[in-house]
Amino acid sequence: MAINNYLTENINALIVDLSPMPVFVCAGKNMVVEFANHATLKAWGKDSSIIGLPFNKALPELIDQPFFNLLIQVYSTGIPYYTESDQVVFLVKGQRKTFYYKFSYQPLKDEAENVWGVLCIASDVSELSLANKRAEESERRFKNLISKAPVALCVLKGTDFVLDVANEKILEIWGKTEEQVIDKPIFDGLPEARGQGLESLLNNVYNTGVPFFANEMSVELPKNGQVETKILNFGYHPYYEIDGAITGIMAAAIDVTEQVISRRATEEINRQLKSTQHRLELALKAGRLGAYERNLTNGTRIFSDQFKTNFGYLPDATIDINVLMDSIHADYRTAIEEIQARCLVEDYPFNIEFPVYWPDHSLHWIVLSGESNTNEKGDRIISGVTQDVTEQKRLQHQREEFISIASHELKTPLTSLSGTLQILDRVIKKDMHSQPLIKQMATASIVHLKKVTNLVNDLLNSTKIEQGQFVLNKTWFTLSELIDNCCDHIRLEGAYQLKTEGDLELQVFADEHKLDQVLVNFVNNAVKYAAESKEIIIRIERNNNTAKLIVEDFGNGIPNDKVLHLFDRFYRADNSGAQYSGLGLGLYICQQIITAHNGEIGVESEVGKGSKFWFTVPIK
Ligand code: ADP
């Protein structure tokens, strides 16, 4: 038989039979199993009874598998077939099991080169194949892990640093698509990154195996066709093979540009804040202003050194708030406690002047000003400044003394002068022969003297208020009568019409003389500063237990920003000094008088329309 001849000539049958590698021969177009060694029969799960049977009879269960068709193909074409690893399913103890075989199908030809059969030599590579599969799977998982990683990652292979894997995040940082960079040496795919020292860093890690980490490194990278500086935290790590050889670099990067920019901005703000604070401290120091902050909610407090100095303490002293309160003059403590109570419930700006006794018992005047608010935690905070005004107080007192003495001294001769002038005036008016010029001069002298007297009176009144020599002498009187009896000088002149309106019966219990002073001041001001308003209306209103008196003129009015200050001492709304005599004391004195009555004083004014000066006093 041809087959036996072939085998005898070429193969030692025994060796073949004992070989662990399956060897079989099929012949003819039906692929009759002519020979199958022991390893083949074992793999097929058959015994030698199948020898001599066509393939589809011998192994019907394998007929639908590719390798059967391959046999037919080699038989019919005469072209051998090789495979490194093909999948085959065999029945092992009745169960289908997958194997991988490396095999070759060799056409067997007779002398006439006609294919008469196929020799198959196979080797089971299932283990190897599975190991490869597992390695592939692990590679796939690794790549998947990289692509899904929340940080930017890539793997560069070889000394050219060919980009093997890159996830979306790193492509985003680079401003590249996968096609632009993958499988290319990194500096070809990303030429923008050249020349920034990264090449030598990569080489170093590759050659030494020592990883490299960079914090907040600025790297120029492309963005929308332009080069942009990105700030990155990144690391290069050697990429090891199982045998320990370094075959590449694994790079990880986090784009921290935004965080770093915002942190740097915060740092800059903090720096500016510090410098502002420093300047503020210098200003406070130069002005010898103490600074404080009290958290009313949790009781914490900060006092600057100057604050402590203002209260007579050494800078390193610890301040007990109760001791501090006790050092304040008793007359002012309630007012300060009231401020504190208001600060607890509302945003309240305050300014208060009070004397304190230093620990050495000396008396000092302090101005405490500040404002309360709520901090971001919801705590109530009072903060502000203190100033030692003892010296100013002393000078102010000296000035008051001087004004008081000077105006007193002036008052006596002025009174005599006024009397003399009035007599002189009467005499001149009676004298038929006196010159008109002399008459005019006498009248003018009286007017001027009146002005000087008013100024001196204002000065005297204001110092009396300051020095506390201010006593109210209250009686019952009718407000309309007060109005009727006041301002004769204006009524007699006849240039202005004073109209009284409202509750003409209303009586109040107050210091008539002092309220007259307020009213006269209002009316005089209307004549002085609203000279074009020929009509002046005085209105009396009753509101529950208070009486309100309003003096309305139709002059030029007062701008809003000035209205706020009208009642301040020495304040004059315009530079009317040259035109109208006055010291800016009239309304200040009025305010003191009304405050002493527990009343209120104010003005409503509209530029171009006129002003309504008003005050209220309790009826009783
Ligand atoms: P003085 O009259 O001595 O300047 P006052 O305290 O009486 O001081 O008044 C303060 C300022 O208020 C005045 O200088 C004036 O500019 C302004 N003023 C007062 N009354 C009126 C008014 N009726 N119309 C316009 N301005 C007024």
Side-chain angles (χ1 to χ4, degrees), residues 521 525 528-529 553 558 566 571-573 582-584 586-587 613:
N521 202 81
N525 277 351
K528 240 197 307 187
Y529 302 110
D553 68 56
I558 307 151
L566 287 187
Y571 184 83
R572 311 204 70 207
L583 293 169
L587 290 176
F613 280 85

Side-chain angles (χ1 to χ4, degrees), residues 121-135:
I121 303 174
S123 76
D124 183 351
V125 290
S126 300
E127 285 297 317
L128 191 67
S129 211
L130 279 174
N132 279 341
K133 280 237 155 9
R134 275 200 286 272

Side-chain angles (χ1 to χ4, degrees), residues 3 12 40 43 52 71 86 88 100 135 140 145 174 181 266 319 345 365 476 490 499 528 577 584 589 604:
I3 179 70
N12 182 324
T40 306
L71 275 177
D86 262 13
V88 189
Y100 293 88
R140 201 182 54 72
L145 198 77
W174 290 341
V181 283
T266 316
I319 295 202
V345 291
W365 278 86
W476 278 106
I490 289 166
K499 262 192 179 173
K528 240 197 307 187
I589 294 167
E604 283 148 31

Side-chain angles (χ1 to χ4, degrees), residues 505-520:
E505 307 302 322
L506 189 60
Q507 287 202 326
V508 291
F509 186 69
D511 186 322
E512 185 171 2
H513 177 67
K514 291 222 159 53
L515 290 197
D516 176 70
Q517 208 177 323
V518 177
L519 180 61
V520 169

Side-chain angles (χ1 to χ4, degrees), residues 139 142-143 153-166 174 178-190 202-203 206 239 241 247-251:
E139 176 101 356
F142 169 67
K143 289 190 176 174
L153 288 174
C154 74
V155 176
L156 307 169
K157 286 282 183 67
T159 46
D160 283 344
F161 305 114
V162 172
L163 183 68
D164 188 37
V165 194
W174 290 341
E178 200 165 70
E179 297 74 58
Q180 288 174 304
V181 283
I182 214 86
D183 292 334
K184 290 184 190 163
I186 188 66
F187 294 107
D188 289 354
L190 191 63
L202 285 170
N203 279 323
Y206 194 89
Y239 185 84
E241 292 300 330
T247 57
I249 302 282
M250 192 158 150

Side-chain angles (χ1 to χ4, degrees), residues 470-484:
F470 191 72
V471 190
L472 293 183
N473 185 10
K474 292 189 183 178
T475 54
W476 278 106
F477 62 93
T478 310
L479 275 174
S480 61
E481 280 172 18
L482 170 83
I483 298 168
D484 289 347

